[in-house]
Amino acid sequence: LPSNEIPSTTECCMFADDLKIFSPIFKFSDYENLQKAVDKIVEWSSKWQLKLSLDKCTVLHIGNKNMKYSYYLYGEELSESQSTKDLGVLMSSDGKFSKHIFEIVRKSHSLCIQIHKAFYSKDKQLLMKAFTTYVRPILEYCSVVWSPFYLKDIILIEKVQRRFNKRLFVSSNLTY
C-alpha cells in the first residue's frame, strides 16, 4: 500500500492480514481525508485482487465529542462497533479497558478451575507453577497498554490469584 497516496492526517497500522486506519476528526475535512484513505485502500486491494470483507470491517468512534460520521466501503456503510480487539487487547469506544479486563479475568478463573481439576497431586509448588505458566500470562499480556487504574478493575484481577490461593492453602490461615 503506497503511503504517499494516504492523506498525511491518517495513520495506517498493518500486521499480517489486519489493517487499522485511524485519524483524529476535528472538522469535516478530517472526515473527508479518512474516507479518502478508505477509498485508496479499496482501490489498492481491488488492483491486487484482495477483496475486503465488509462483514469484518467496522468503525470504532472514540471519545465523547466524536461526530460519529459514517464511512463507506464499496458504496456500503460500515457498521459501527462499540469495541474492537487488536492483537488480543479489547478496546472500547469509551477508551477504557474494563471489558478487556473482565474477559481476561473470566478466562483466568476458568483456567484456574481446570488446573485444580486436572492435577490429582495437590503439591502446592506444582500447582503454583501451573498458575504462573498458564494463568499469569493471560493476566499480564500487554498490561503496559491496558494497565488498570480503576479500583474495581484492580480488585477483579487480584481476585483471580486470591481465589486460586484460597483453594490451594485451604488448611492454612494464610492471608493474601
Side-chain angles (χ1 to χ4, degrees):
L1 183 64
S3 60
N4 62 342
E5 294 185 25
I6 303 290
S8 62
T9 57
T10 304
E11 294 286 328
C12 286
C13 291
M14 293 182 264
F15 183 77
D17 66 344
D18 194 25
L19 170 69
K20 302 248 187 290
I21 59 172
F22 50 94
S23 175
I25 308 293
F26 297 111
K27 52 190 184 283
F28 188 75
S29 61
D30 295 332
Y31 154 73
E32 288 177 320
N33 284 336
L34 187 56
Q35 182 60 57
K36 283 179 190 173
V38 170
D39 295 339
K40 287 292 181 185
I41 290 167
V42 168
E43 185 181 311
W44 178 87
S45 67
S46 295
K47 177 184 172 185
W48 292 98
Q49 298 175 358
L50 299 167
K51 187 158 171 60
L52 302 172
S53 172
L54 192 60
D55 295 334
K56 292 183 179 179
C57 297
T58 60
V59 177
L60 179 68
H61 296 286
I62 299 175
N64 297 334
K65 296 180 182 179
N66 196 305
M67 300 298 284
K68 296 192 178 185
Y69 291 109
S70 297
Y71 297 90
Y72 297 87
L73 188 71
Y74 301 118
E76 292 197 39
E77 186 176 344
L78 290 171
S79 62
E80 183 180 344
S81 174
Q82 293 304 308
S83 61
T84 187
K85 192 173 258 193
D86 190 18
L87 299 176
V89 178
L90 187 65
M91 180 166 182
S92 300
S93 59
D94 60 4
K96 298 175 184 170
F97 292 98
S98 293
K99 286 182 183 178
H100 173 75
I101 291 169
F102 178 80
E103 285 299 313
I104 63 169
V105 165
R106 184 189 56 74
K107 188 175 183 179
S108 296
H109 278 305
S110 176
L111 274 172
C112 287
I113 291 168
Q114 290 177 21
I115 288 170
H116 281 297
K117 285 183 179 180
F119 291 99
Y120 290 110
S121 169
K122 297 302 172 196
D123 178 28
K124 291 175 177 65
Q125 283 187 318
L126 173 71
L127 293 172
M128 285 306 292
K129 186 63 117 175
F131 180 85
T132 56
T133 303
Y134 296 110
V135 179
R136 277 191 47 194
I138 292 168
L139 292 171
E140 295 174 0
Y141 176 73
C142 282
S143 60
V144 266
V145 173
W146 57 264
S147 181
F149 55 91
Y150 290 116
L151 185 60
K152 68 179 182 84
D153 291 339
I154 293 169
I155 290 169
L156 206 57
I157 292 169
E158 288 182 351
K159 200 180 219 182
V160 175
Q161 187 168 339
R162 279 194 188 115
R163 191 183 233 178
F164 188 83
N165 285 345
K166 189 175 182 180
R167 281 191 78 180
L168 197 61
F169 299 105
V170 173
S171 60
S172 313
N173 286 332
L174 294 176
T175 61
Y176 174 70

